[in-house]
Amino acid sequence: MQRILIVEDEQSIAELEHDYLEINGFHVDIANDGNSALQKVMAEAFDLILLDLMLPGISGFELCKHIRKEQDIPILMVTAKGEDIDKIRGLGLGADDYIVKPFSPNELVARVKAHLSRYDRLKGGGRRMDDIRIRGLVINKEARQVFINNEEVMLTAKEFDLLTFLALHPNRVFSKNDLFERIWGMDSMGDIATVTVHIRKIREKVEMDPANPQYVETLWGAGYRFRG
């Protein structure tokens, strides 16, 4: 699922954009000011940023400039101003397009889809629609690669299979027996203790703080759950 960050200080507008984009199959986060938006962009992976110009803290122009130094993802600027000078400034700093308030939600969704599709084509399909993208974690199922905040981490075959299975079933609890049967098979040599070992190794590789995991949670007496 592709991730979009909405940077908008007017909560009602942010929630409207959020709802329409989620209905259309996107995972959406919201930042209400420039500073928190910059922190999110530096810590997590997004596919497109919907950026308001007039923000408290860091302005939309400055934020666009910061982001463009680090990433080449599409940036769609949103503004209540229609003056050509603002459009020129924004595009000159690296924004891909503009949309002027007020706009229809359907137009917004269409613009977002168009820019994501264009970016995917320009990258030669490198950003696959079937990648698993949850916060800073990206799992490329075809290439069997895992990235945390754009840095690749190396997993063994079973670690990859286990992490991918859990990520494909977010917020669902699986017992150790369930996971052992699905990943190793009941006829496999070994026992369910190997599940615990593999979960620990996965956390060491993908979690910022393995003792307080943000991806693979332990539910004592029940099993494990991937936080979606």
Side-chain angles (χ1 to χ4, degrees), residues 60-117:
F61 288 125
E62 287 299 312
L63 186 56
C64 181
K65 187 161 59 175
H66 280 297
I67 294 168
R68 194 49 82 220
K69 288 179 181 177
E70 303 292 333
Q71 302 183 31
D72 65 348
I73 59 174
I75 299 174
L76 179 58
M77 278 193 163
V78 179
T79 178
K81 297 181 179 180
E83 293 90 343
D84 287 343
I85 187 63
D86 282 334
K87 295 181 180 180
I88 292 169
R89 283 184 65 198
L91 294 173
L93 291 172
D96 295 277
D97 198 3
Y98 259 80
I99 186 166
V100 179
K101 301 175 187 176
F103 51 81
S104 75
N106 288 333
E107 179 189 3
L108 174 67
V109 173
R111 293 272 201 100
V112 166
K113 287 182 176 180
H115 279 284
L116 287 170
S117 177

Side-chain angles (χ1 to χ4, degrees), residues 198-213:
H198 279 72
I199 291 291
R200 176 174 56 79
K201 290 181 177 178
I202 289 170
R203 285 175 175 160
E204 289 172 354
K205 295 176 180 180
V206 306
E207 301 284 1
M208 291 291 291
D209 180 3
N212 297 285

